[in-house]
Amino acid sequence: MGSESFLKDVSLAPGAPEEEPARQYYYMALLSDLVSQRAKEIGRDLTACVVTFGCQMNARDSEKLCGILKKTGFVLSEDENSDFVIYNTCTVRDNADQKVYGRLGVLGNYKKKNPGMKIALCGCMTQEASAVEKIKASYPFVDLVFGTHNLYEFAELVYKCFSKKGMLVEVWEGTDRIVEDLPVDRKYPFKSGINIMFGCNNFCSYCIVPYVRGRERSREPKEILREIEQLVADGVVEIMLLGQNVNSYGKNLENGITFAQLLREVEKIEGLHRIRFMTSHPKDLSDELICVMKESKKICRHLHLPLQAGSDRVLKTMNRCYTKEQYLALVEKIRKEIPDISITTDIIVGFPGETREDVKETIDVIRKAQYDNAFTFIYSKRTGTPAAKMEQVPEDQVHEEFDEVLKCVQDMARERIVRFEGRVMEALVEEENTGKNAADALREMGAKEGEILLTGRLSNNTIVHFPGNASQIGTFVNVRLDKCHGFYYFGHIVTEQNA
Ligand code: SAH
Ligand code: SF4
Ligand code: F3S
């Protein structure tokens, strides 16, 4: 459906409807008129650039923002020197905040040269009162600030922002509302993230997410299934079910569906080839889920299972609700049932009170759990969380331990990934690799004249590069994994099924 026919059906006569999403379609129609009028005045299309910081949740939210921008006539651009720039922010660690502030300075300079430019900030950072105060005081050229709970009001907020001067700030403390059926513009035509729940109730003591994303709310299974069916009809072959703790999916729903039961339903959708999900909290990972994964032909052989720390004392203060032993027993059970699975994790180093001995426990878990990959973070103090009030470890004492953990993780990952060398595996071709070493890589692979370097993803989430052609993007191919290069493979497409 083009934007024209889609918005012409919206009646503007009686004023803005109260109910959602009708209200947002009303504002989309108004905004669309405003955008085309501005475009006439300046003699060209209005450009908009959405910059995403943070996690998959934010990436999906940005696709919703892009959907509305496109429907209302903006031309999407990657260039931050655009007529409308939206920063979808993250605040999980302090360096995420600092990145945004740094880039806002640059945006301010662009705006001096293009006074008609509008700048919006949304996402997790704007849910913090201190951040909003700082923006008001130090970045007065920002036009619109809104939060995670009212993202669905984007059309209304943009319309209001473009119709007035000065900064519009609209941040809610929380919501129990989920608004369905708004436009989305996907980054990839063939794969998509899909929210199954919002918020988090776990309150790990270091983490700001429950404060900025609110209480846990699951979407109705029928809404999720309907959205996936629509995506599949639109060409999507791989989906990623998104939630801060997918294993507690359904707890607030009346029919009490579990995550494993939801997966069984998703599995039945014809035309869908791959199912991924993020993130699994170890405390809630059920035997039922392991069983569903084991039996499934579609659920990918990858599990992201954040450990955070290996010491029982630290895990307790972090409020993670499992011990080292329980975590390792879980990993063992999963590996026994699904031997070819890749397990990845998140680790924090330098949590308040963490000693050298504690870090040794983390390293012990890394060795025993045999991770295929791990994201390692230095603890960052987040004001308002319980850990912020605990005695902090000075950062200069953390670096040595961080490097040690990182080295252990990287050695382990290199050792693990090599196990597939020589195998033939199915890859979903995601994009052309246009990196500066692409030509050398093609030569090394003995590519034929005219072939380009493609990047594919295996079921276990490993990346493989191989020669091919652009028409293969978005399709599944069988690839022989010829050579392991640290964290990825070089390979070539083969026609046979298995080595
Ligand atoms: N809901 C997910 C993680 C969301 S945040 C889960 O529970 O696994 C992603 C990762 O950021 C976390 O797993 C954690 O390792 C890291 N993280 C969160 N808060 C942090 C902090 N204050 N300092 C450093 N790392 C942090
Ligand atoms: Fe943060 Fe813990 Fe919730 Fe994950 S489960 S988002 S780490 S509070
Ligand atoms: Fe960051 Fe918010 Fe995600 S704080 S990690 S963008 S939920």
Side-chain angles (χ1 to χ4, degrees):
M1 214 171 5
S3 66
E4 296 272 310
S5 63
F6 169 82
L7 292 173
K8 268 191 189 134
D9 296 336
V10 178
S11 161
L12 294 178
E18 284 298 316
E19 69 277 14
E20 297 290 4
R23 185 177 175 87
Q24 296 314 311
Y25 283 93
Y26 171 89
Y27 278 106
M28 273 184 246
L30 286 182
L31 182 59
S32 165
D33 285 349
L34 189 148
V35 169
S36 65
Q37 200 183 323
R38 291 270 162 98
K40 254 185 228 140
E41 283 163 19
I42 59 172
R44 58 167 178 81
D45 286 328
L46 257 64
T47 53
C49 172
V50 179
V51 183
T52 312
F53 301 84
C55 65
Q56 311 265 4
M57 234 66 73
N58 261 18
R60 183 61 178 163
D61 284 349
S62 288
E63 292 187 344
K64 295 176 186 173
L65 303 178
C66 288
I68 287 165
L69 291 167
K70 232 175 160 176
K71 281 279 185 239
T72 51
F74 285 97
V75 173
L76 295 180
S77 160
E78 307 256 296
D79 186 354
E80 288 181 42
N81 197 357
S82 281
D83 299 306
F84 187 23
V85 178
I86 303 103
Y87 278 180
N88 189 7
T89 62
C90 170
T91 186
V92 76
R93 285 169 288 277
D94 184 56
N95 55 10
D97 287 8
Q98 296 317 321
K99 245 190 249 167
V100 170
Y101 290 129
R103 285 172 71 160
L104 265 180
V106 179
L107 272 195
N109 288 334
Y110 288 155
K111 193 166 174 173
K112 279 186 198 137
K113 293 188 195 120
N114 175 8
M117 179 180 181
K118 296 272 184 191
I119 298 173
L121 285 183
C122 65
C124 296
M125 201 175 113
T126 61
Q127 284 296 140
E128 287 181 285
S130 57
V132 175
E133 287 317 309
K134 182 162 174 175
I135 294 157
K136 280 184 186 159
S138 309
Y139 305 91
F141 53 83
V142 171
D143 302 280
L144 171 63
V145 179
F146 62 102
T148 57
H149 302 298
N150 58 341
L151 187 108
Y152 70 83
E153 282 194 320
F154 185 54
E156 179 171 349
L157 295 168
V158 177
Y159 176 74
K160 288 179 175 164
C161 162
F162 271 73
S163 317
K164 75 182 237 336
K165 284 207 159 54
M167 191 189 291
L168 173 64
V169 180
E170 216 20 89
V171 180
W172 301 353
E173 268 187 31
T175 184
D176 52 9
R177 195 150 190 200
I178 297 176
V179 176
E180 304 281 352
D181 293 321
L182 284 164
V184 179
D185 183 58
R186 290 196 310 278
K187 186 171 170 207
Y188 295 94
F190 51 86
K191 70 170 190 172
S192 179
I194 176 165
N195 302 103
I196 62 165
M197 59 209 294
F198 301 93
C200 181
N201 284 355
N202 289 309
F203 290 96
C204 302
S205 63
Y206 50 82
C207 184
I208 196 79
V209 172
Y211 305 89
V212 296
R213 286 273 170 179
R215 293 296 59 72
E216 192 176 285
R217 299 162 325 268
S218 296
R219 281 176 77 193
E220 288 292 338
K222 66 170 187 328
E223 296 291 352
I224 297 169
L225 296 169
R226 192 165 61 100
E227 186 175 347
I228 300 173
E229 277 160 8
Q230 283 166 355
L231 287 169
V232 170
D234 196 33
V236 166
V237 288
E238 178 178 303
I239 54 152
M240 183 180 276
L241 306 175
L242 299 172
Q244 293 298 350
N245 175 14
V246 290
N247 296 327
S248 69
Y249 170 79
K251 285 196 176 146
N252 69 318
L253 294 175
E254 270 172 20
N255 56 7
I257 180 172
T258 64
F259 179 55
Q261 285 161 348
L262 176 74
L263 279 175
R264 279 195 211 274
E265 294 306 311
V266 176
E267 171 104 21
K268 288 181 197 154
I269 296 175
E270 247 175 79
L272 179 65
H273 290 263
R274 276 185 178 176
I275 305 166
R276 300 185 183 277
F277 52 84
M278 277 262 268
T279 302
S280 273
H281 195 304
K283 80 178 164 66
D284 296 313
L285 198 143
S286 66
D287 288 352
E288 190 193 10
L289 176 66
I290 299 174
C291 177
V292 171
M293 285 185 82
K294 183 181 172 176
E295 286 169 6
S296 171
K297 295 269 177 294
K298 296 185 180 176
I299 302 174
C300 289
R301 289 313 187 226
H302 173 221
L303 185 69
H304 188 63
L305 194 64
L307 165 73
Q308 313 302 2
S311 136
D312 284 345
R313 196 182 51 80
V314 173
L315 283 170
K316 195 160 192 304
T317 344
M318 283 181 163
N319 193 28
R320 288 293 288 179
C321 305
Y322 52 82
T323 62
K324 174 185 174 189
E325 202 180 319
Q326 284 165 335
Y327 183 94
L328 283 171
L330 181 63
V331 168
E332 200 180 312
K333 184 155 67 176
I334 296 164
R335 289 215 187 278
K336 187 162 161 270
E337 294 299 322
I338 316 166
D340 56 345
I341 200 161
S342 288
I343 300 180
T344 56
T345 203
D346 291 345
I347 291 165
I348 298 176
V349 183
F351 181 80
E354 193 175 52
T355 62
R356 271 206 79 75
E357 288 308 305
D358 293 322
V359 177
K360 275 190 190 145
E361 297 286 322
T362 302
I363 289 176
D364 189 43
V365 179
I366 297 169
R367 295 220 169 97
K368 289 184 172 138
Q370 301 257 311
Y371 294 116
D372 288 83
N373 208 346
F375 296 102
T376 313
F377 307 108
I378 291 184
Y379 166 77
S380 169
K381 177 177 159 184
R382 307 316 287 137
T383 307
T385 62
K389 296 192 201 83
M390 300 173 192
E391 195 171 333
Q392 310 290 304
V393 180
E395 206 175 312
D396 53 351
Q397 278 179 31
V398 175
H399 286 286
E400 208 175 301
E401 269 121 17
F402 176 79
D403 291 346
E404 205 179 323
V405 171
L406 191 67
K407 186 174 180 311
C408 179
V409 158
Q410 289 178 340
D411 290 349
M412 175 65 56
R414 263 190 221 105
E415 234 173 76
R416 294 279 299 164
I417 187 181
V418 133
R419 74 192 187 281
F420 298 117
E421 211 170 70
R423 289 256 295 265
V424 173
M425 288 183 148
E426 191 183 58
L428 174 58
V429 188
E430 294 196 338
E431 56 206 355
E432 177 179 356
N433 180 335
T434 51
K436 62 179 184 339
N437 298 326
D440 290 343
L442 283 167
R443 214 169 302 124
E444 184 185 326
M445 293 168 183
K448 294 191 204 85
E449 185 70 30
E451 282 186 317
I452 58 172
L453 188 64
L454 295 174
T455 298
R457 193 178 295 271
L458 305 177
S459 167
N460 67 19
N461 214 32
T462 303
I463 293 293
V464 52
H465 304 287
F466 47 90
N469 60 68
S471 69
Q472 286 163 320
I473 294 172
T475 67
F476 288 98
V477 293
N478 287 321
V479 179
R480 184 179 298 280
L481 306 174
D482 296 319
K483 189 159 179 9
C484 177
H485 282 260
F487 301 104
Y488 55 86
Y489 278 100
F490 277 2
H492 70 278
I493 297 179
V494 291
T495 43
E496 73 263 38
Q497 279 298 309
N498 246 314

